[in-house]
Amino acid sequence: MFYAAGFALGRQLHRVRPWPIGARTVTAPAGHAVMLAGAALAVGGATEIPRHHSTLVPQREVSALVTTGVYRISRNPMYTGLALVYTGGSLRAGSWWPLVELPAVLLLIRRLVIEPEERYLSSKYGEQYESYRGRVRRWL
């Protein structure tokens, strides 16, 4: 929802005060490619969780610390993938406004979603999670 809200706000700002991204013959196809890469990363993260008989629902207790698949390159592949989809969508939409909103969206996601998840995983898995955290970056 954070991504959708930030993107929608950026699009509304563009309607009020247009701030177009130029070079549409380059930025539109590049946006499409970035969106596809982000979707692949997010779907990779979403499909890896059930393989470990765990849950995608943040408020539910997890049954496994997932460190395989795309979780070998990012501790948060779904959030990272959605950020790439958002970025690619901004390029495809041809507006700088959603991109200006993205840092605030990422800050909210980090503070309100990722940090609580990390505290939970650290308390549940202790050294195993800390070791994983030391090996794999939060985003990419």
Side-chain angles (χ1 to χ4, degrees), residues 19-118:
W19 190 11
I21 294 175
R24 299 303 299 142
T25 59
V26 174
T27 58
H32 186 71
V34 171
M35 287 177 73
L36 288 175
L41 188 59
V43 168
T47 58
E48 193 67 20
I49 299 286
R51 289 185 186 151
H52 295 271
H53 307 290
S54 201
T55 181
L56 289 168
V57 181
Q59 296 78 15
R60 294 212 178 132
E61 184 175 342
V62 298
S63 59
L65 177 62
V66 179
T67 61
T68 57
V70 292
Y71 288 90
R72 289 176 296 162
I73 60 170
S74 172
R75 294 195 319 262
N76 298 289
M78 289 182 280
Y79 303 134
T80 304
L82 290 174
L84 289 171
V85 169
Y86 181 112
T87 300
S90 298
L91 293 172
R92 295 229 352 128
S95 176
W96 285 106
W97 285 115
L99 291 173
V100 168
E101 299 293 321
L102 184 58
V105 169
L106 295 177
L107 180 63
L108 285 172
I109 288 169
R110 181 177 159 205
R111 299 291 172 136
L112 300 176
V113 181
I114 293 173
E115 288 176 0
E117 285 179 0
E118 288 181 338

